[in-house]
Amino acid sequence: MAKTIQAIRGMNDCLPSQTSIWQFIEANIRQVVANYGYQEIRTPIVESTDLFKRSIGEVTDIVEKEMYSFDDRNGDSLTLRPEGTACCVRAGNEHGLLYNQQQRLWYMGPMFRHERPQKGRYRQFHQFGVEAYGLEGPDIDVEMILIGARLWKAFGIEGQVELQINSLGSAEARAKYKAVLVEFLQQHHDKLDEDSQRRLLTNPLRVLDSKNPDVQSIVKNAPKLIDHLDEESQQHFSLLCERLDNLGIEYTVNPSLVRGLDYYNRTVFEWVTTLLGAQGTVCAGGRYDGLVEQLGGKSSPAVGFAMGLERLVLLVESLNLPNIHKQGVDIYLMAMGESAQRSLANIAEAVRNTNPSLRVQQHCGAGNFKKQMKKALASKAKLALIVGDDELENNTVTVKFLAEDKEQINLEMAKLASLGSMI
Ligand code: ATP
Ligand code: MG
């Protein structure tokens, strides 16, 4: 036998038994973004490597070690997108969507990062994200948070995710803070891991983001960026908190929340859950007012977030919520005899024409009553429609109720539309 070929490590198939939960999540997302007046943008999966180096930052986990980069046949360095924001800004600049305009955009699709695969962390994963341009906030920052909160309700997971916020201040304030932080970390140099020691020199704020518990315990006592904010950012942040209080949205201020990408400033936030172990962040975002200009456009304020769909699927699954798994069909058509077999597709089409929202499947091939009924039951159909010579002659179908203890009936072809009310 030939050797089977397997999927790439960390890149998952989404099997039919799982697609209903994905569709449930995606459908709710589409409804909620429409509800807030956002428009969809779709960008290519491959971009030039420079785009991510310039936006995400050279000294970040993503650019240092997680990108799928390769030279194409022309020798150009290309990268499978590790995230959506840079792509969105690139497209916005390229097509003149951003200059002097306000845009509320959303996207959804696969992203790629060469990480160690584990529960909630994969090499191909999916993000849904929103981005708003031309709005300084903090009202739009609040809108971002409201969209998240509305989605948790729609998914039935409100109460399972907690909002954490922080402010990174302006670039100048961060530069000043950096000096204070470095001085503090130098004092604990020996206790930092190798990664953090290196970052101390290249990008000290990243040390705050370390997942190493030993480093985290040092960072806990480090001077806080939130105490070194410029006045405008300070004001922006207190207004944000005030609006959230007004709306009754609960949050925690987490001073070591710095995000893994360099382009953020002022507001940053994450929605986290304790139900998924170490991979607890289901949604992360913030402001990136400098990014549009950094990527060659005219300066424009911007804010956005990205949600990891795999983690949401895991979370929704773990709660065993009812009514999400919509498997099987509503109606299964069976043919008794050759004439019926010949006409079955015509009858099935008539059922679909009169009942566009029902899932209708016909038996294919021959088979006695018992065999066909077995298939009908396996299909989870609520109704079996049986067509034989008698039915053909009288222009009827026999309706058998598979989910209820009810006598079968004979239904005229002209009344197929009434099937919907029997489901
Ligand atoms: P983490 O701290 O978990 O590595 P991150 O800061 O790298 O996350 P972002 O780049 O902000 O994550 O991406 C936003 C969201 O996308 C994350 O909160 C998470 O839900 C999801 N995500 C990121 N990387 C992965 C991955 N490798 N597999 C699955 N989901 C991911
Ligand atoms: Mg990461």
Side-chain angles (χ1 to χ4, degrees), residues 328-346:
V329 300
D330 299 306
I331 293 180
Y332 193 88
L333 284 101
M334 301 162 44
M336 298 299 116
E338 255 177 57
S339 322
Q341 217 177 309
R342 270 199 299 276
S343 308
L344 200 63
N346 301 61

Side-chain angles (χ1 to χ4, degrees), residues 113 115 120-122 125 127 211 259 281-282 284 306 308 311:
R113 296 183 195 176
E115 303 196 68
R121 193 176 293 285
Y122 310 99
F125 62 100
Q127 283 183 340
K211 303 253 164 28
R259 310 287 307 107
T281 304
V282 289
R311 292 186 195 178

Side-chain angles (χ1 to χ4, degrees), residues 168-363:
L168 301 183
S170 65
E172 299 78 45
R174 264 199 318 281
K176 278 195 209 145
Y177 167 72
K178 240 180 227 176
V180 181
L181 178 67
V182 168
E183 201 187 313
F184 170 86
L185 291 174
Q186 290 288 14
Q187 291 163 18
H188 301 84
H189 191 269
D190 295 348
K191 285 186 233 120
L192 297 177
D193 59 13
E194 215 177 295
D195 240 13
S196 299
Q197 287 179 351
R198 192 170 46 84
R199 295 223 152 136
L200 189 54
L201 302 173
T202 52
N203 194 350
L205 248 69
R206 286 275 80 77
V207 179
L208 299 180
D209 202 31
S210 169
K211 303 253 164 28
N212 180 333
D214 295 338
V215 177
Q216 277 176 354
S217 72
I218 294 167
V219 159
K220 220 171 51 208
N221 302 316
K224 310 266 180 282
L225 176 49
I226 196 128
D227 299 328
H228 292 77
L229 294 185
D230 51 294
E231 207 177 310
E232 279 184 4
S233 298
Q234 177 63 57
Q235 242 173 29
H236 190 107
F237 191 63
S238 15
L239 271 176
L240 171 71
C241 295
E242 195 184 299
R243 303 256 165 106
L244 292 176
D245 292 338
N246 257 339
L247 286 155
I249 294 185
E250 285 178 33
Y251 58 88
T252 316
V253 178
N254 174 358
S256 53
L257 185 66
V258 291
R259 310 287 307 107
L261 303 87
D262 274 354
Y263 51 61
Y264 287 105
N265 70 307
R266 290 202 175 155
T267 311
V268 287
F269 62 89
E270 288 192 358
W271 291 93
V272 292
T273 175
T274 51
L275 300 179
L276 296 179
Q279 274 58 251
T281 304
V282 289
C283 174
R287 299 203 65 83
Y288 46 94
D289 296 320
L291 185 61
V292 174
E293 195 175 14
Q294 201 178 313
L295 289 177
K298 285 253 167 51
S299 171
S300 163
V303 60
F305 69 68
M307 255 176 216
L309 299 191
E310 278 76 5
R311 292 186 195 178
L312 279 174
V313 167
L314 285 170
L315 191 54
V316 172
E317 248 168 12
S318 76
L319 297 175
N320 267 327
L321 303 170
N323 299 330
I324 292 178
H325 288 284
K326 215 179 176 201
Q327 278 177 347
V329 300
D330 299 306
I331 293 180
Y332 193 88
L333 284 101
M334 301 162 44
M336 298 299 116
E338 255 177 57
S339 322
Q341 217 177 309
R342 270 199 299 276
S343 308
L344 200 63
N346 301 61
I347 299 171
E349 285 298 279
V351 175
R352 294 186 186 105
N353 289 343
T354 45
N355 298 276
S357 63
L358 292 189
R359 298 164 299 166
V360 180
Q361 199 166 78
Q362 76 162 90
H363 185 85

